[in-house]
């Protein structure tokens, strides 16, 4: 993938596909397996005194279900060979957010939001366009809480990808500027 820096111009006539980083995904998978295993310790009769504590047992059940589901989702993503993020003249698509492209003309604002040390690109989309998108379950469930935390838009992250956040943000801003997204006309590209 081409580097996106201030020294090198980005060829915005091309379609770029950003894929998972196998090494980063392996690290996340190991963390998921460890957290699931740790949660199981509270449920299985490994330490009977933990199993007798109803709070610890409940935490173990919830943790096992949550981290187990997350681990399965990581495995599914890892085995999927499709591009996670596609940036093209048609728009921006992150399959973790929606299956459809978000046209550049519908992007009203681009900003950076940082949560627990992780930078996230917040893409504010015109409400009439966002209502037509088929948002993923995760995007639908996190949309309201993220808004309350200060991220009023669809959240796109470089987590687990072969590109870092600065590279992702530079690419999105370059395409948005080239294709005259309202976000680039109204205000600076990032907060």
């Amino acid at each position: 993938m081409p580097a996106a820096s201030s020294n090198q111009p980005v060829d915005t006539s091309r379609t770029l596909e950003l894929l998972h980083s196998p090494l980063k995904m392996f690290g996340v998978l190991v963390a998921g397996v460890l957290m699931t295993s740790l949660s199981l310790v509270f449920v299985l009769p490994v330490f009977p005194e933990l199993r007798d504590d109803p709070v610890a047992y409940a935490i173990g059940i919830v943790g096992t279900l949550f981290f187990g589901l997350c681990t399965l989702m990581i495995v599914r993503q890892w085995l999927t060979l499709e591009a996670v993020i596609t940036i093209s003249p048609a728009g921006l698509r992150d399959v973790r957010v929606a299956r459809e492209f978000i046209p550049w003309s519908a992007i009203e604002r681009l900003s950076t939001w940082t949560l627990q040390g992780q930078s996230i690109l917040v893409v504010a989309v015109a409400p009439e366009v966002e209502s037509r998108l088929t948002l993923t379950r995760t995007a639908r469930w996190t949309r309201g809480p993220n808004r309350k935390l200060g991220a009023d838009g669809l959240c796109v992250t470089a987590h687990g990808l072969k590109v870092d956040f600065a590279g992702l943000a530079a690419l999105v801003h370059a395409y948005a500027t080239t294709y005259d997204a309202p976000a680039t006309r109204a205000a600076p590209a990032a907060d």
Side-chain angles (χ1 to χ4, degrees):
M1 195 196 95
S5 69
S6 57
N7 299 345
Q8 295 178 300
V10 176
D11 179 3
T12 57
S13 65
R14 296 181 23 206
T15 296
L16 300 176
E17 293 185 337
L18 307 179
L19 305 172
H20 286 292
S21 166
L23 186 58
K24 288 180 184 178
M25 290 301 289
F26 181 73
V28 174
L29 178 64
V30 167
V33 169
L34 287 174
M35 293 303 292
T36 304
S37 300
L38 181 62
S39 297
L40 277 171
V41 167
F42 288 91
V43 177
L44 299 177
V46 177
F47 298 106
E49 60 276 2
L50 288 177
R51 185 148 191 215
D52 293 338
D53 180 0
V55 173
Y57 188 72
I59 289 171
I61 294 287
V62 170
T64 300
L65 293 173
F66 175 76
F67 292 115
L69 180 61
C70 290
T71 303
L72 290 175
M73 289 171 55
I74 291 163
V75 168
R76 182 175 169 249
Q77 286 179 354
W78 199 10
L79 296 176
T80 302
L81 297 177
E82 75 176 326
V84 177
I85 296 177
T86 305
I87 305 170
S88 77
L92 171 67
R93 180 179 72 165
D94 183 338
V95 296
R96 300 169 298 185
V97 174
R99 300 304 278 168
E100 304 90 356
F101 274 90
I102 302 167
W104 298 114
S105 61
I107 297 176
E108 296 180 338
R109 187 179 71 257
L110 294 169
S111 59
T112 300
W113 178 50
T114 303
L115 180 66
Q116 297 178 347
Q118 181 177 345
S119 294
I120 298 164
L121 184 64
V122 180
V123 182
V125 180
E128 63 275 5
V129 174
E130 185 175 335
S131 68
R132 290 192 309 260
L133 292 175
T134 309
L135 297 179
T136 62
R137 191 173 298 132
T138 303
R140 285 193 315 270
W141 289 350
T142 60
R143 183 73 172 89
N146 286 346
R147 181 183 299 122
K148 289 180 182 175
L149 291 172
D152 191 9
L154 302 175
C155 295
V156 177
T157 179
H159 183 71
L161 301 180
K162 291 182 179 181
V163 64
D164 63 5
F165 177 77
L168 172 64
L171 288 168
V172 171
H173 290 297
Y175 276 76
T177 300
T178 300
Y179 296 100
D180 201 27
T184 61
R185 286 185 260 135
D191 291 341

